[in-house]
Each structure stands twice: as C-alpha cells, then as structure tokens.
Amino acid sequence: MSASPVLWDGRSAARAEARRLLSHAPVEGALRLIVQQLRLQEQGRDVGRHELIDLVLDVGGNLVALHVRDMLREGTAGPAGLDAMLDVLRADVTADLGAEPDSLELVVDVDGEVRVLVVLECEVTPAEIEADPRHPALHGGSYHIAQDAPGLEDLRDRRAAPRQGVLARLVDTVRERLGGG
C-alpha cells in the first residue's frame, strides 16, 4: 500500500528550474504541471522507476488532465535538462531527509508556486502501475483534479482575471463603498 505524500519544504536550486518547466508546456491553458517519479520494487529490491508527467488544463472552463511526458521530453526543455533538475532535487531531498524517497512529486503551478511532495516508504510493483484501477501512489493530473479542484479553479480564475493596477483597485473600492458601483 502507499503512504500519503508529505510536503518537503527544504531548499533546492532545482525549484527555480522547475518554475521554468511550465513555460515549456506544449499546450495552452496549462494551470499545473505534475512530475512524479516512483521507485518500482519487487520483493524489496529496486526494479526501475516509473515517471509520470501530466498537465492540468483549463479547457473552456473545465479542468482536464493531459499526459505530456513524451511531449515535454521532446520539447525545448530537453530530457537532459529535466533529468538533471530532477537529479539535483532528489539529491537535495535525500540529503535533507537522510533517505531517498520512493515517490518524488514535483508540482508547479502557473502562478509560480512549486511544491515537492515525498513518500519515503511505498512499495509499488511494475504490475501495480499497469493495473486498473490505478495504484493510489500515482498522483497524475486526474488525481490533482479530484483532490484539489477548488484550488485549481481558483488558480484558473486568478490567471484569467485582468490585472488591475493599485489605483484602479482603489477607485473600484471607493465606488463600491459609496454605492456608485
């Protein structure tokens, strides 16, 4: 079974690079990029790593999950840059926690927020990755929509709202209070 991911709030130079990843998103309307690497194990020994890269998009006001691993790896960010950033992040997390995580999840929002979520002990087999329903340790776009729809909708609304200067907001506030709305 899988444990719940825990927010890692440590420092890493990889966070700045992660913010740039969303700019390489291959489609319009991207709200959130999720990169998860999950260690695969069979009877207690490592047998590989599963990588999931999804986008959560705003499509006509609806939240939609899109698998973009191949598109992002072929894009301008390049696989070497992505792998190097993830290697730095994993090394920083491992150094801070004293153990390499079984699940490393990088969440990058369009507003620039970057979160790193980790699970230290989570045994997932290759067969469980392919199973239907999906293994609960997999946290792709659909998972984020189901678990954080209000947050994603707020992010969508903030992104879509026209930016207003301080003076314009002040005038609007005064008008509202005076009833001249």
Side-chain angles (χ1 to χ4, degrees), residues 87-104:
D87 288 346
V88 167
L89 181 60
R90 177 174 276 94
D92 291 342
V93 169
T94 300
D96 185 45
L97 299 178
E100 184 175 344
D102 286 340
S103 174
L104 180 67

Side-chain angles (χ1 to χ4, degrees), residues 34-49:
I34 301 108
V35 179
Q36 183 185 26
Q37 291 186 335
L38 191 61
R39 186 184 335 203
L40 299 177
Q41 301 175 16
E42 289 276 1
Q43 299 173 350
R45 63 181 176 83
D46 289 352
V47 292
R49 188 177 284 156

Side-chain angles (χ1 to χ4, degrees), residues 44-178:
R45 63 181 176 83
D46 289 352
V47 292
R49 188 177 284 156
H50 177 74
E51 181 179 70
L52 176 140
I53 304 176
D54 282 0
L55 280 175
V56 175
L57 309 168
D58 171 22
V59 179
N62 297 307
L63 298 174
V64 177
L66 179 66
H67 304 296
V68 294
R69 181 182 179 272
D70 295 337
M71 287 187 283
L72 187 67
R73 285 201 162 276
E74 292 169 4
T76 56
L82 178 60
D83 289 337
M85 186 268 304
L86 290 169
D87 288 346
V88 167
L89 181 60
R90 177 174 276 94
D92 291 342
V93 169
T94 300
D96 185 45
L97 299 178
E100 184 175 344
D102 286 340
S103 174
L104 180 67
E105 184 177 348
L106 177 66
V107 180
V108 184
D109 286 344
V110 71
D111 65 0
E113 183 179 357
V114 175
R115 289 182 309 284
V116 177
L117 302 162
V118 297
V119 176
L120 290 178
E121 294 184 22
C122 173
E123 187 166 326
V124 179
T125 67
E128 289 174 315
I129 290 296
E130 302 301 323
D132 187 24
R134 294 180 63 124
H135 192 282
L138 290 170
H139 296 165
S142 297
Y143 172 88
H144 280 259
I145 291 170
Q147 297 298 315
D148 190 25
L152 287 162
E153 289 167 353
D154 180 59
L155 187 61
R156 176 194 60 210
D157 294 344
R158 283 187 286 124
R159 191 189 100 231
R163 294 195 177 246
Q164 217 179 19
V166 174
L167 183 57
R169 286 193 309 265
L170 180 61
V171 169
D172 287 347
T173 301
V174 169
R175 281 186 182 147
E176 287 175 12
R177 289 191 178 161
L178 294 175

